[in-house]
Amino acid sequence: MGDKIQPIYEPLNSSSAIALVNRLGLFTENSVLTCNEIGDGNLNYVFHIADTSSNRGVIIKQALPYAKVVGESWPLTLKRAVIEANALKIFGSFCPQLVPKVYYSDEQLAVTVMEDLSYLKISRKGLIAGEEYPLLSRHIGQYLAKTFFYTSDFYLEPGKKKDFAKQFTNPELCKITEDLVFTDPFFDAETNDFEKALTEAVKNLWSDERLKLEAAKLKKSFLTEQEVLLHGDLHTGSIFAGAQETKVIDPEFAFYGPAGFDLGLYFANLLFQAITRKGSSKEVIFTHLHDVWLTFEAEFSTLWKQESKEVYCKTEGYLEYTLQKIFTDALGFAGCELIRRTIGLAHVEDLDGISNEGERILAKKTALQLGRALIMNRQQEAKIESLTTIVKDQLLA
Ligand code: SR1
Ligand code: MG
């Protein structure tokens, strides 16, 4: 008697996705709706539903109870959908222009219904196609400054921050990163995936004890440092871009971790373009690297000076120490991302899309060398020229 009927999880299809948006009243009654599954990521379904006459649309993202990239043999929590919806709402409250609006979320169905961004392009695809996106990295610098600062102990009352950290405890998705980013690529693990022609280069990594010690330190930082609420998977496939607009999507890996992690992933995914672009078109990527760091540094410093609540934020040298730590960590995390996207389980189109085998292998060897160089030389002055010098040295080596 009086028992609540719990909606049961089931994967959506075109007709149940359309039924859901109709139930939510997101379109007028007479709308003729089309629905396409457009997800090309590793984990979820993504449905694009549009009204054929107005072309107005929405996106429904649904988590599957397993990792799509591997199949049902790799079960994965549906709770990531709640984490994602809540993270979108929190990040959207700090930078509404840079995050899609969430219209609805349902924990049982593991769905998030959000703003249609299909008029923009996934920035990885746009960058591969040679598009320039002059505002992209300035927007990402602003996004990082705000999301880091407003979720950190520099701004939040410590109890509130700990509540957030509890709400965003995300052990299953963190475990994916712990394994796929920080561990497996440095050992002969089953998940690794690389061409035969890379065997010697890969074995050199596996036997490099100095490199493994540094990878261990970076993994420890990821495991233990609860500095800010991270996006957790901020590669260029998690960012929609256009000439004027940028939107950060997919924060299902969100958790409290070291601030340099998101920045490092973004650096690394730009660096794939620095590696693969030819001649002077690399310069655009160096400009992106400058833009993201300089914007981040300026915005974060302003927030620190104007809005910090932590008493030590007025102590001389503390801001510089904090920026230095974020920069150093970011270089190390960027190195791990370069290596894991080259020889680990989940690759990037920037490299795998190179059809000429010789060129592809050369690009991958460069990515491995650059990854190693960033990890080993990450204790650099927090100046973007320190990063571009390491990159240029490796690209010319
Ligand atoms: C099994 S998931 C593989 C990768 O896809 C996601 O986008 C994350 O980057 C994860 O590491
Ligand atoms: Mg994703």
Side-chain angles (χ1 to χ4, degrees):
M1 285 269 289
D3 281 353
K4 277 195 190 148
I5 300 172
Q6 293 287 333
I8 297 169
Y9 174 85
E10 57 178 42
L12 294 173
N13 53 39
S14 291
S15 58
S16 55
I18 288 177
L20 175 62
V21 296
N22 280 332
R23 185 161 60 78
L24 295 172
L26 293 174
F27 293 91
T28 52
E29 256 178 35
N30 301 325
S31 303
V32 178
L33 301 178
T34 57
C35 177
N36 291 300
E37 204 282 308
I38 56 166
D40 65 352
N42 292 322
L43 301 176
N44 308 293
Y45 276 156
V46 181
F47 296 93
H48 177 226
I49 298 177
D51 178 339
T52 47
S53 54
S54 68
N55 244 348
R56 220 175 46 79
V58 296
I59 295 292
I60 302 182
K61 180 167 175 182
Q62 185 180 40
L64 291 167
Y66 53 87
K68 198 169 82 177
V69 66
V70 176
E72 296 189 29
S73 61
W74 187 335
L76 201 53
T77 178
L78 291 174
K79 282 201 186 121
R80 66 190 195 271
V82 186
I83 297 260
E84 172 160 347
N86 289 339
L88 284 172
K89 288 177 202 161
I90 291 178
F91 294 147
S93 73
F94 308 139
C95 14
Q97 309 305 326
L98 300 175
V99 177
K101 289 184 194 68
V102 174
Y103 301 134
Y104 173 79
S105 58
D106 181 315
E107 187 168 354
Q108 295 300 326
L109 265 183
V111 295
T112 308
V113 183
M114 64 192 122
E115 187 181 354
D116 180 11
L117 302 174
S118 56
Y119 62 99
L120 301 171
K121 217 180 206 170
I122 285 292
S123 64
R124 183 186 307 287
K125 292 196 181 293
L127 289 168
I128 291 172
E131 286 177 24
E132 298 202 349
Y133 301 129
L135 299 180
L136 169 67
S137 292
R138 280 180 240 168
H139 286 158
I140 297 301
Q142 289 166 8
Y143 167 92
L144 291 172
K146 289 185 177 158
T147 58
F148 288 4
F149 181 77
Y150 286 123
T151 64
S152 74
D153 284 301
F154 308 124
Y155 177 76
L156 287 177
E157 188 274 314
K160 175 79 183 159
K161 185 209 136 179
K162 288 179 183 71
D163 283 346
F164 269 150
K166 214 187 291 168
Q167 184 188 342
F168 285 96
T169 303
N170 198 354
E172 285 193 43
L173 276 81
C174 284
K175 177 82 165 79
I176 291 178
T177 305
E178 289 148 20
D179 292 344
L180 296 188
V181 178
F182 293 107
T183 311
D184 295 358
F186 297 92
F187 295 86
D188 187 1
E190 266 186 21
T191 53
N192 289 329
D193 174 19
F194 53 86
E195 288 97 333
K196 222 171 170 189
L198 288 173
T199 306
E200 193 188 328
V202 172
K203 284 191 170 164
N204 284 341
L205 281 186
W206 291 344
S207 61
D208 187 338
E209 290 300 315
R210 284 178 55 230
L211 175 67
K212 285 162 90 163
L213 174 59
E214 297 311 313
K217 292 178 194 170
L218 288 159
K219 180 177 177 184
K220 177 168 182 273
S221 156
F222 183 86
L223 285 163
T224 60
E225 293 184 33
Q226 300 199 326
E227 292 180 335
V228 301
L229 180 59
L230 290 169
H231 176 284
D233 198 24
L234 190 62
H235 54 80
T236 47
S238 297
I239 303 168
F240 271 108
Q244 303 294 329
E245 276 183 275
T246 305
K247 303 275 184 186
V248 177
I249 60 166
D250 272 6
E252 66 199 308
F253 283 75
F255 80 112
Y256 258 83
F261 188 72
D262 280 352
L263 180 63
L265 260 52
Y266 186 67
F267 277 161
N269 284 272
L270 288 175
L271 289 172
F272 287 120
Q273 281 297 304
I275 293 168
T276 56
R277 286 186 178 206
K278 301 218 162 73
S280 61
S281 60
K282 288 183 194 292
E283 288 302 325
V284 177
I285 301 303
F286 296 131
T287 304
H288 275 290
L289 294 168
H290 276 82
D291 283 351
V292 68
W293 174 255
L294 294 180
T295 308
F296 169 75
E297 184 182 44
E299 293 262 337
F300 186 84
S301 302
T302 302
L303 292 169
W304 177 289
K305 285 170 193 155
Q306 294 180 348
E307 297 193 46
S308 54
K309 305 278 196 305
E310 161 60 51
V311 62
Y312 278 113
C313 289
K314 292 199 170 41
T315 299
E316 209 185 314
Y318 192 31
L319 171 61
E320 291 68 24
Y321 162 83
T322 301
L323 288 168
Q324 178 66 56
K325 178 177 184 309
I326 293 173
F327 188 79
T328 299
D329 289 353
L331 296 196
F333 294 134
C336 295
E337 172 77 355
L338 281 164
I339 291 172
R340 78 91 169 213
R341 294 286 187 193
T342 306
I343 60 170
L345 175 82
H347 287 199
V348 286
E349 193 184 330
D350 311 58
L351 296 178
D352 280 8
I354 303 173
S355 51
N356 178 292
E357 195 193 347
E359 280 181 30
R360 188 174 65 250
I361 296 300
L362 192 60
K364 290 190 174 187
K365 285 185 177 166
T366 306
L368 293 179
Q369 280 158 11
L370 178 55
R372 183 183 186 284
L374 288 171
I375 293 171
M376 298 308 289
N377 301 310
R378 66 188 186 284
Q379 308 287 351
Q380 297 281 331
E381 212 184 332
K383 287 203 158 81
I384 195 60
E385 292 73 22
S386 318
L387 169 58
T388 43
T389 303
I390 299 178
V391 175
K392 286 180 181 168
D393 282 356
Q394 292 302 316
L395 296 193
L396 297 174

